Amino acid sequence: MKQYALFAGCTIKAALPHIEMVARKVLPLLDIELKELAFACCPNADFRSTDEYSWLVVAARNLALAEKEGLEILSLCPGCTQTLKEANMILKDDDSLRARINKRLEKIGLIFKGTTEANHHLVILHQQIDILLQRVTIPLYGIKLAVHTGCHLLMPSRIMQFDSSEQPKKLEELVKMLGGTIIDYPEKTLCCGFGLFGSHKGTASRIIRDKVESAFLAGAEAFVVPCPSCFQQLDRNQLVAKRELKFEYQLPVFYYLQLVGLAMGFDLDEVGYYHGRVRSPELEEKIKSLVKKAVVNI
Amino acid sequence: MISINTDLRRKILENNEDIKKCYQCSTCSASCPVLKYDPDFNPRILIIKALYGSEDTLKSKEFWKCLSCDRCNERCPQGVNPYNVLLKLKNFLFSQNLAPKERIDARELIITSGFSYPISSAVNRKRESIELEALESIGEELKKIVGTEGAE
């Protein structure tokens, strides 16, 4: 059992708490113990675009909190992971900047030394894939999934160092470990467009339509994402796009740990599936029948 | 006609020497998910305008459309890092009080509460309904440490 500081991030904490719920349920069963710290917003790229210095100060505070506890950070959000990794690298590499930022942190009794690391849970799970495999009791055989890794877990690759930014494979490998079937689709690496939804709904909706259409026509039954922003965009905002652009098809979305939960024997309710807005009764039946088959096999 | 603002040009080049390496190949534009759907947002053109210190850049609301996906940085053959150039430009505009209101408000929300989403009683009720702890503001602590460089 290794202990990590859980960095759920604002989107999950405030808008998608069922993802935090499933993480707290599933990760301890994979030998990952989680500790709660008083983290602030990572902060996000919008904040960085107005005030990069404060962005660095707030990120340094988050990292310093984990350092103080002697813990590494496990993040549920690629955006937060990217901020924390990039800030960590910038501050470790620049002695004078670090000293200036630490002057700010002094005011609240913290210091950034550069002794912690931040990683997304996919990175950590991929490093202990044998444990994951051991705990799968209900393999997701026959469930056809379109993987969407998103942008921030991959890029900048020199900082993230997780997977190929052009042909990502790691999330697919992790889905295969659960028994799921991977559906390749043309728009696999297209950004979900979440950042535009608030200000340019029409553009964001067309991005959603193209992603959903591409995955649906390739035969997928659902999306799998590791990111709360992508989740919101492809779930709740998919319904808005569908209304606006009047397309027929729709695909529900799973956050990766929800699938892990299902494969470990939790039911749809227990992994928070019904908190999602896009539903697929056919897929729900298929998932329920997996459990029945598994019981019959015993 | 392009009007050139030498202050802006100097400011942009100050921390962005790499921008001079841009040979306008358009790899950033070809890689950009926003441009694919919205031809008004063209990173290559934003870069050349920035390089010239064009005043259009100050007035343009275009580059606030960037999705921050980092794909242009990733593929740029010259290491210009277009995404970071845009970040610096937006920081400059913020310092001149020229950022869009929603961005200023979004920054303010984080500073005053610690979170990028409003922490309403509805949010906390939802959290408590699935046995998660309610969120509490950490704005008081953040207020002591935030502020643009040199603000102290």
Side-chain angles (χ1 to χ4, degrees), chain A residues 70-127:
Chain A
L71 295 175
E72 288 178 23
I73 292 171
L74 178 147
S75 157
L76 302 183
C77 167
C80 301
T81 312
Q82 187 208 44
T83 286
L84 296 171
K85 280 185 103 74
E86 187 159 0
N88 207 5
M89 185 181 268
I90 291 170
L91 290 167
K92 278 188 195 175
D93 286 352
D94 189 333
D95 297 346
S96 126
L97 182 60
R98 187 171 64 243
R100 278 178 284 144
I101 298 277
N102 271 332
K103 276 230 156 7
R104 293 265 179 105
L105 294 186
E106 234 173 55
K107 296 179 192 172
I108 52 169
L110 286 172
I111 178 167
F112 173 92
K113 295 183 201 149
T115 55
T116 189
E117 269 188 58
N119 277 304
H120 188 275
H121 65 77
L122 281 195
V123 178
I124 294 161
L125 292 182
H126 202 274
Q127 284 163 357

Short mmCIF file of all heavy atoms in Angstrom, two decimals, chain A residues 70-127:
data_model
loop_
_atom_site.label_atom_id
_atom_site.label_comp_id
_atom_site.label_asym_id
_atom_site.label_seq_id
_atom_site.Cartn_x
_atom_site.Cartn_y
_atom_site.Cartn_z
N GLY A 70 5.48 14.82 2.80
CA GLY A 70 6.34 13.77 2.26
C GLY A 70 5.62 12.85 1.29
O GLY A 70 5.94 11.67 1.17
N LEU A 71 4.61 13.39 0.60
CA LEU A 71 3.81 12.55 -0.30
C LEU A 71 3.94 12.97 -1.76
O LEU A 71 4.13 14.15 -2.05
CB LEU A 71 2.33 12.63 0.08
CG LEU A 71 1.92 12.08 1.44
CD1 LEU A 71 0.45 12.37 1.70
CD2 LEU A 71 2.19 10.58 1.52
N GLU A 72 3.81 11.99 -2.64
CA GLU A 72 3.65 12.31 -4.07
C GLU A 72 2.17 12.57 -4.31
O GLU A 72 1.32 12.12 -3.55
CB GLU A 72 4.11 11.14 -4.93
CG GLU A 72 5.62 10.96 -4.93
CD GLU A 72 6.06 9.76 -5.76
OE1 GLU A 72 5.31 9.33 -6.65
OE2 GLU A 72 7.17 9.25 -5.48
N ILE A 73 1.90 13.29 -5.41
CA ILE A 73 0.52 13.65 -5.73
C ILE A 73 -0.06 12.69 -6.76
O ILE A 73 0.59 12.39 -7.77
CB ILE A 73 0.45 15.10 -6.27
CG1 ILE A 73 0.79 16.09 -5.14
CG2 ILE A 73 -0.92 15.40 -6.87
CD1 ILE A 73 0.98 17.52 -5.63
N LEU A 74 -1.28 12.19 -6.49
CA LEU A 74 -2.02 11.43 -7.49
C LEU A 74 -3.18 12.31 -7.94
O LEU A 74 -4.02 12.71 -7.14
CB LEU A 74 -2.55 10.12 -6.90
CG LEU A 74 -3.38 9.25 -7.84
CD1 LEU A 74 -3.16 7.77 -7.53
CD2 LEU A 74 -4.87 9.57 -7.81
N SER A 75 -3.19 12.64 -9.22
CA SER A 75 -4.18 13.56 -9.76
C SER A 75 -5.24 12.81 -10.56
O SER A 75 -4.96 11.79 -11.20
CB SER A 75 -3.47 14.58 -10.64
OG SER A 75 -4.35 15.14 -11.56
N LEU A 76 -6.47 13.32 -10.50
CA LEU A 76 -7.55 12.72 -11.29
C LEU A 76 -7.78 13.47 -12.60
O LEU A 76 -8.65 13.10 -13.38
CB LEU A 76 -8.85 12.71 -10.47
CG LEU A 76 -8.81 11.98 -9.13
CD1 LEU A 76 -10.20 12.01 -8.48
CD2 LEU A 76 -8.35 10.53 -9.28
N CYS A 77 -7.01 14.54 -12.82
CA CYS A 77 -7.28 15.41 -13.96
C CYS A 77 -5.99 15.69 -14.75
O CYS A 77 -5.00 16.13 -14.18
CB CYS A 77 -7.87 16.72 -13.44
SG CYS A 77 -7.92 18.03 -14.65
N PRO A 78 -6.02 15.43 -16.06
CA PRO A 78 -4.82 15.70 -16.87
C PRO A 78 -4.40 17.17 -16.84
O PRO A 78 -3.20 17.47 -16.83
CB PRO A 78 -5.24 15.28 -18.27
CG PRO A 78 -6.29 14.24 -18.05
CD PRO A 78 -7.05 14.71 -16.83
N GLY A 79 -5.36 18.10 -16.81
CA GLY A 79 -5.03 19.52 -16.79
C GLY A 79 -4.26 19.88 -15.52
O GLY A 79 -3.23 20.55 -15.57
N CYS A 80 -4.78 19.40 -14.38
CA CYS A 80 -4.08 19.64 -13.11
C CYS A 80 -2.70 18.99 -13.14
O CYS A 80 -1.71 19.58 -12.69
CB CYS A 80 -4.86 19.05 -11.94
SG CYS A 80 -6.52 19.69 -11.72
N THR A 81 -2.63 17.78 -13.67
CA THR A 81 -1.36 17.07 -13.73
C THR A 81 -0.34 17.88 -14.53
O THR A 81 0.81 18.05 -14.12
CB THR A 81 -1.53 15.68 -14.41
OG1 THR A 81 -2.65 15.03 -13.83
CG2 THR A 81 -0.28 14.83 -14.24
N GLN A 82 -0.80 18.40 -15.66
CA GLN A 82 0.10 19.18 -16.52
C GLN A 82 0.59 20.43 -15.80
O GLN A 82 1.79 20.74 -15.80
CB GLN A 82 -0.61 19.55 -17.82
CG GLN A 82 0.30 20.20 -18.84
CD GLN A 82 -0.46 21.15 -19.75
OE1 GLN A 82 -1.29 21.94 -19.30
NE2 GLN A 82 -0.18 21.06 -21.03
N THR A 83 -0.32 21.17 -15.17
CA THR A 83 0.08 22.36 -14.42
C THR A 83 1.11 22.01 -13.35
O THR A 83 2.16 22.65 -13.24
CB THR A 83 -1.15 23.01 -13.74
OG1 THR A 83 -1.93 23.66 -14.73
CG2 THR A 83 -0.73 24.05 -12.71
N LEU A 84 0.80 20.98 -12.56
CA LEU A 84 1.68 20.65 -11.44
C LEU A 84 3.04 20.16 -11.92
O LEU A 84 4.08 20.51 -11.36
CB LEU A 84 1.01 19.61 -10.53
CG LEU A 84 -0.28 20.09 -9.84
CD1 LEU A 84 -0.99 18.94 -9.14
CD2 LEU A 84 0.01 21.23 -8.85
N LYS A 85 3.05 19.37 -12.98
CA LYS A 85 4.33 18.87 -13.51
C LYS A 85 5.15 20.00 -14.11
O LYS A 85 6.36 20.08 -13.91
CB LYS A 85 4.08 17.79 -14.59
CG LYS A 85 3.75 16.43 -14.03
CD LYS A 85 3.64 15.40 -15.14
CE LYS A 85 4.86 14.51 -15.24
NZ LYS A 85 4.97 13.53 -14.17
N GLU A 86 4.47 20.87 -14.88
CA GLU A 86 5.20 21.95 -15.54
C GLU A 86 5.74 22.95 -14.50
O GLU A 86 6.91 23.35 -14.57
CB GLU A 86 4.31 22.65 -16.57
CG GLU A 86 5.09 23.66 -17.40
CD GLU A 86 4.43 24.02 -18.72
OE1 GLU A 86 3.34 23.49 -19.02
OE2 GLU A 86 5.02 24.83 -19.45
N ALA A 87 4.90 23.32 -13.53
CA ALA A 87 5.36 24.25 -12.49
C ALA A 87 6.51 23.64 -11.70
O ALA A 87 7.50 24.32 -11.39
CB ALA A 87 4.19 24.59 -11.56
N ASN A 88 6.40 22.36 -11.39
CA ASN A 88 7.46 21.66 -10.65
C ASN A 88 8.78 21.75 -11.41
O ASN A 88 9.83 22.07 -10.86
CB ASN A 88 7.03 20.20 -10.47
CG ASN A 88 7.65 19.54 -9.24
OD1 ASN A 88 8.34 20.20 -8.45
ND2 ASN A 88 7.42 18.26 -9.08
N MET A 89 8.70 21.50 -12.73
CA MET A 89 9.91 21.52 -13.55
C MET A 89 10.49 22.95 -13.66
O MET A 89 11.69 23.15 -13.49
CB MET A 89 9.58 20.97 -14.95
CG MET A 89 10.79 20.84 -15.85
SD MET A 89 10.32 20.20 -17.48
CE MET A 89 10.55 18.45 -17.21
N ILE A 90 9.61 23.93 -13.88
CA ILE A 90 10.07 25.32 -14.00
C ILE A 90 10.78 25.74 -12.70
O ILE A 90 11.86 26.32 -12.72
CB ILE A 90 8.86 26.27 -14.27
CG1 ILE A 90 8.29 26.03 -15.68
CG2 ILE A 90 9.27 27.74 -14.13
CD1 ILE A 90 6.95 26.76 -15.95
N LEU A 91 10.17 25.41 -11.56
CA LEU A 91 10.72 25.86 -10.27
C LEU A 91 11.99 25.11 -9.88
O LEU A 91 12.89 25.67 -9.26
CB LEU A 91 9.66 25.71 -9.18
CG LEU A 91 8.48 26.69 -9.30
CD1 LEU A 91 7.34 26.28 -8.39
CD2 LEU A 91 8.93 28.12 -8.98
N LYS A 92 12.06 23.85 -10.27
CA LYS A 92 13.28 23.08 -9.96
C LYS A 92 14.46 23.60 -10.77
O LYS A 92 15.60 23.61 -10.30
CB LYS A 92 13.06 21.60 -10.28
CG LYS A 92 12.34 20.82 -9.21
CD LYS A 92 12.39 19.34 -9.60
CE LYS A 92 11.40 18.53 -8.80
NZ LYS A 92 11.36 17.13 -9.26
N ASP A 93 14.17 24.06 -12.01
CA ASP A 93 15.24 24.45 -12.93
C ASP A 93 15.73 25.88 -12.74
O ASP A 93 16.76 26.25 -13.30
CB ASP A 93 14.75 24.32 -14.39
CG ASP A 93 14.66 22.87 -14.81
OD1 ASP A 93 15.11 22.01 -14.03
OD2 ASP A 93 14.15 22.60 -15.92
N ASP A 94 15.00 26.72 -12.01
CA ASP A 94 15.34 28.15 -11.97
C ASP A 94 15.50 28.60 -10.51
O ASP A 94 14.52 28.91 -9.83
CB ASP A 94 14.23 28.94 -12.68
CG ASP A 94 14.59 30.41 -12.88
OD1 ASP A 94 15.39 30.95 -12.08
OD2 ASP A 94 14.05 31.02 -13.83
N ASP A 95 16.76 28.66 -10.05
CA ASP A 95 17.03 28.96 -8.64
C ASP A 95 16.50 30.33 -8.23
O ASP A 95 15.94 30.49 -7.14
CB ASP A 95 18.54 28.91 -8.35
CG ASP A 95 19.11 27.52 -8.57
OD1 ASP A 95 18.30 26.56 -8.68
OD2 ASP A 95 20.35 27.37 -8.65
N SER A 96 16.68 31.32 -9.10
CA SER A 96 16.29 32.67 -8.71
C SER A 96 14.77 32.82 -8.66
O SER A 96 14.22 33.42 -7.74
CB SER A 96 16.96 33.68 -9.67
OG SER A 96 16.04 34.54 -10.23
N LEU A 97 14.09 32.23 -9.64
CA LEU A 97 12.63 32.26 -9.65
C LEU A 97 12.09 31.53 -8.42
O LEU A 97 11.17 32.00 -7.74
CB LEU A 97 12.10 31.61 -10.94
CG LEU A 97 10.59 31.59 -11.15
CD1 LEU A 97 10.01 32.99 -11.18
CD2 LEU A 97 10.24 30.86 -12.46
N ARG A 98 12.68 30.38 -8.12
CA ARG A 98 12.24 29.58 -6.96
C ARG A 98 12.36 30.41 -5.68
O ARG A 98 11.48 30.42 -4.83
CB ARG A 98 13.06 28.30 -6.86
CG ARG A 98 12.55 27.34 -5.79
CD ARG A 98 13.23 25.99 -5.85
NE ARG A 98 14.66 26.09 -5.57
CZ ARG A 98 15.63 25.78 -6.43
NH1 ARG A 98 15.32 25.37 -7.64
NH2 ARG A 98 16.89 25.90 -6.11
N ALA A 99 13.48 31.14 -5.56
CA ALA A 99 13.70 31.96 -4.36
C ALA A 99 12.62 33.04 -4.25
O ALA A 99 12.09 33.31 -3.17
CB ALA A 99 15.08 32.59 -4.41
N ARG A 100 12.28 33.65 -5.39
CA ARG A 100 11.25 34.71 -5.37
C ARG A 100 9.88 34.14 -5.01
O ARG A 100 9.12 34.72 -4.24
CB ARG A 100 11.20 35.42 -6.73
CG ARG A 100 12.29 36.52 -6.87
CD ARG A 100 12.25 37.16 -8.22
NE ARG A 100 12.83 36.27 -9.23
CZ ARG A 100 12.40 36.14 -10.48
NH1 ARG A 100 11.35 36.82 -10.89
NH2 ARG A 100 13.00 35.33 -11.32
N ILE A 101 9.57 32.99 -5.62
CA ILE A 101 8.27 32.36 -5.33
C ILE A 101 8.21 31.94 -3.85
O ILE A 101 7.19 32.09 -3.18
CB ILE A 101 8.04 31.13 -6.26
CG1 ILE A 101 8.01 31.56 -7.73
CG2 ILE A 101 6.80 30.35 -5.85
CD1 ILE A 101 6.71 32.08 -8.26
N ASN A 102 9.33 31.44 -3.34
CA ASN A 102 9.35 31.02 -1.93
C ASN A 102 9.14 32.18 -0.96
O ASN A 102 8.64 32.00 0.14
CB ASN A 102 10.65 30.26 -1.61
CG ASN A 102 10.49 28.77 -1.87
OD1 ASN A 102 9.39 28.22 -1.78
ND2 ASN A 102 11.58 28.11 -2.22
N LYS A 103 9.53 33.37 -1.39
CA LYS A 103 9.26 34.57 -0.56
C LYS A 103 7.76 34.74 -0.34
O LYS A 103 7.31 35.12 0.73
CB LYS A 103 9.82 35.83 -1.25
CG LYS A 103 11.28 36.10 -1.02
CD LYS A 103 11.47 37.55 -0.57
CE LYS A 103 12.72 37.85 0.22
NZ LYS A 103 13.71 36.86 0.38
N ARG A 104 7.00 34.45 -1.42
CA ARG A 104 5.53 34.52 -1.31
C ARG A 104 5.03 33.40 -0.37
O ARG A 104 4.20 33.64 0.49
CB ARG A 104 4.87 34.35 -2.68
CG ARG A 104 5.12 35.49 -3.66
CD ARG A 104 3.97 36.51 -3.62
NE ARG A 104 4.20 37.60 -4.53
CZ ARG A 104 3.58 37.76 -5.71
NH1 ARG A 104 2.68 36.88 -6.10
NH2 ARG A 104 3.84 38.79 -6.49
N LEU A 105 5.53 32.19 -0.60
CA LEU A 105 5.05 31.04 0.19
C LEU A 105 5.39 31.19 1.68
O LEU A 105 4.66 30.69 2.54
CB LEU A 105 5.63 29.73 -0.35
CG LEU A 105 5.18 29.30 -1.75
CD1 LEU A 105 5.73 27.91 -2.06
CD2 LEU A 105 3.66 29.27 -1.88
N GLU A 106 6.48 31.88 1.97
CA GLU A 106 6.89 32.14 3.36
C GLU A 106 5.76 32.76 4.18
O GLU A 106 5.59 32.46 5.36
CB GLU A 106 8.05 33.15 3.35
CG GLU A 106 9.29 32.73 4.08
CD GLU A 106 10.42 33.74 3.85
OE1 GLU A 106 10.20 34.94 4.11
OE2 GLU A 106 11.49 33.31 3.36
N LYS A 107 4.98 33.61 3.49
CA LYS A 107 3.90 34.32 4.18
C LYS A 107 2.86 33.37 4.75
O LYS A 107 2.09 33.74 5.63
CB LYS A 107 3.18 35.28 3.20
CG LYS A 107 4.04 36.40 2.68
CD LYS A 107 3.21 37.25 1.71
CE LYS A 107 4.11 38.20 0.93
NZ LYS A 107 3.36 38.88 -0.14
N ILE A 108 2.79 32.16 4.19
CA ILE A 108 1.80 31.20 4.72
C ILE A 108 2.52 29.97 5.29
O ILE A 108 1.93 28.89 5.44
CB ILE A 108 0.77 30.78 3.62
CG1 ILE A 108 1.48 30.30 2.35
CG2 ILE A 108 -0.16 31.94 3.29
CD1 ILE A 108 0.55 29.64 1.34
N GLY A 109 3.79 30.15 5.60
CA GLY A 109 4.54 29.10 6.29
C GLY A 109 4.87 27.88 5.46
O GLY A 109 5.00 26.77 5.98
N LEU A 110 4.99 28.07 4.14
CA LEU A 110 5.33 26.93 3.29
C LEU A 110 6.62 27.21 2.53
O LEU A 110 7.05 28.35 2.39
CB LEU A 110 4.20 26.66 2.28
CG LEU A 110 2.92 26.02 2.81
CD1 LEU A 110 1.85 26.00 1.72
CD2 LEU A 110 3.18 24.59 3.31
N ILE A 111 7.24 26.13 2.04
CA ILE A 111 8.43 26.30 1.20
C ILE A 111 8.41 25.24 0.10
O ILE A 111 8.03 24.09 0.35
CB ILE A 111 9.72 26.22 2.04
CG1 ILE A 111 10.97 26.36 1.16
CG2 ILE A 111 9.79 24.96 2.87
CD1 ILE A 111 12.25 26.60 1.90
N PHE A 112 8.75 25.67 -1.13
CA PHE A 112 8.87 24.71 -2.24
C PHE A 112 10.33 24.28 -2.34
O PHE A 112 11.21 25.11 -2.52
CB PHE A 112 8.45 25.36 -3.56
CG PHE A 112 8.72 24.48 -4.76
CD1 PHE A 112 7.75 23.62 -5.24
CD2 PHE A 112 9.97 24.50 -5.39
CE1 PHE A 112 8.01 22.79 -6.33
CE2 PHE A 112 10.23 23.66 -6.48
CZ PHE A 112 9.25 22.81 -6.95
N LYS A 113 10.57 22.96 -2.20
CA LYS A 113 11.96 22.47 -2.32
C LYS A 113 12.17 21.65 -3.59
O LYS A 113 13.29 21.48 -4.04
CB LYS A 113 12.29 21.59 -1.11
CG LYS A 113 12.28 22.34 0.22
CD LYS A 113 12.69 21.38 1.35
CE LYS A 113 12.22 21.89 2.69
NZ LYS A 113 11.90 20.81 3.63
N GLY A 114 11.11 21.14 -4.14
CA GLY A 114 11.26 20.30 -5.34
C GLY A 114 11.43 18.83 -5.00
O GLY A 114 12.13 18.11 -5.69
N THR A 115 10.77 18.39 -3.92
CA THR A 115 10.96 17.00 -3.49
C THR A 115 9.76 16.09 -3.78
O THR A 115 9.76 14.94 -3.39
CB THR A 115 11.22 16.95 -1.97
OG1 THR A 115 10.14 17.61 -1.29
CG2 THR A 115 12.52 17.65 -1.61
N THR A 116 8.74 16.64 -4.44
CA THR A 116 7.60 15.76 -4.72
C THR A 116 7.40 15.61 -6.22
O THR A 116 8.09 16.26 -7.03
CB THR A 116 6.29 16.29 -4.08
OG1 THR A 116 5.28 15.28 -4.21
CG2 THR A 116 5.80 17.57 -4.76
N GLU A 117 6.49 14.73 -6.58
CA GLU A 117 6.14 14.55 -7.99
C GLU A 117 4.63 14.48 -8.10
O GLU A 117 3.97 14.06 -7.16
CB GLU A 117 6.70 13.22 -8.50
CG GLU A 117 8.08 13.33 -9.09
CD GLU A 117 8.49 12.02 -9.73
OE1 GLU A 117 7.75 11.56 -10.64
OE2 GLU A 117 9.51 11.46 -9.31
N ALA A 118 4.13 14.90 -9.24
CA ALA A 118 2.69 14.79 -9.47
C ALA A 118 2.46 13.91 -10.68
O ALA A 118 3.12 14.07 -11.71
CB ALA A 118 2.09 16.18 -9.72
N ASN A 119 1.54 12.96 -10.55
CA ASN A 119 1.20 12.10 -11.68
C ASN A 119 -0.29 11.82 -11.73
O ASN A 119 -0.96 11.75 -10.70
CB ASN A 119 1.94 10.76 -11.59
CG ASN A 119 3.34 10.88 -12.15
OD1 ASN A 119 3.54 11.28 -13.30
ND2 ASN A 119 4.33 10.56 -11.34
N HIS A 120 -0.78 11.65 -12.94
CA HIS A 120 -2.18 11.23 -13.13
C HIS A 120 -2.30 9.75 -12.76
O HIS A 120 -1.34 9.00 -12.91
CB HIS A 120 -2.55 11.45 -14.61
CG HIS A 120 -4.01 11.25 -14.90
ND1 HIS A 120 -4.56 10.02 -15.15
CD2 HIS A 120 -5.04 12.13 -14.96
CE1 HIS A 120 -5.86 10.15 -15.37
NE2 HIS A 120 -6.18 11.42 -15.26
N HIS A 121 -3.49 9.35 -12.29
CA HIS A 121 -3.62 7.95 -11.87
C HIS A 121 -3.34 6.95 -13.00
O HIS A 121 -2.91 5.84 -12.75
CB HIS A 121 -5.00 7.69 -11.24
CG HIS A 121 -6.14 7.85 -12.18
ND1 HIS A 121 -6.47 6.91 -13.12
CD2 HIS A 121 -7.03 8.85 -12.35
CE1 HIS A 121 -7.51 7.33 -13.81
NE2 HIS A 121 -7.87 8.51 -13.37
N LEU A 122 -3.56 7.37 -14.26
CA LEU A 122 -3.26 6.43 -15.37
C LEU A 122 -1.79 6.08 -15.40
O LEU A 122 -1.41 4.94 -15.70
CB LEU A 122 -3.61 7.06 -16.72
CG LEU A 122 -5.06 7.12 -17.20
CD1 LEU A 122 -5.08 7.44 -18.70
CD2 LEU A 122 -5.82 5.86 -16.93
N VAL A 123 -0.95 7.07 -15.10
CA VAL A 123 0.50 6.84 -15.12
C VAL A 123 0.85 5.84 -14.02
O VAL A 123 1.61 4.88 -14.23
CB VAL A 123 1.25 8.18 -14.88
CG1 VAL A 123 2.75 7.96 -14.83
CG2 VAL A 123 0.87 9.21 -15.94
N ILE A 124 0.25 6.06 -12.84
CA ILE A 124 0.54 5.20 -11.69
C ILE A 124 -0.01 3.79 -11.92
O ILE A 124 0.68 2.79 -11.69
CB ILE A 124 -0.02 5.84 -10.40
CG1 ILE A 124 0.77 7.14 -10.13
CG2 ILE A 124 0.06 4.89 -9.22
CD1 ILE A 124 0.10 8.12 -9.19
N LEU A 125 -1.22 3.69 -12.45
CA LEU A 125 -1.81 2.37 -12.69
C LEU A 125 -1.04 1.62 -13.78
O LEU A 125 -0.87 0.40 -13.70
CB LEU A 125 -3.30 2.49 -13.10
CG LEU A 125 -4.25 2.97 -12.01
CD1 LEU A 125 -5.69 2.99 -12.53
CD2 LEU A 125 -4.16 2.10 -10.76
N HIS A 126 -0.56 2.36 -14.77
CA HIS A 126 0.20 1.70 -15.83
C HIS A 126 1.51 1.13 -15.30
O HIS A 126 2.02 0.13 -15.81
CB HIS A 126 0.46 2.67 -16.99
CG HIS A 126 0.74 1.99 -18.29
ND1 HIS A 126 2.00 1.57 -18.64
CD2 HIS A 126 -0.07 1.61 -19.31
CE1 HIS A 126 1.95 0.98 -19.82
NE2 HIS A 126 0.70 0.99 -20.25
N GLN A 127 2.02 1.75 -14.22
CA GLN A 127 3.27 1.25 -13.63
C GLN A 127 3.03 0.01 -12.75
O GLN A 127 3.96 -0.68 -12.38
CB GLN A 127 3.93 2.35 -12.78
CG GLN A 127 4.61 3.41 -13.62
CD GLN A 127 4.90 4.68 -12.84
OE1 GLN A 127 4.55 4.79 -11.66
NE2 GLN A 127 5.56 5.63 -13.48
#
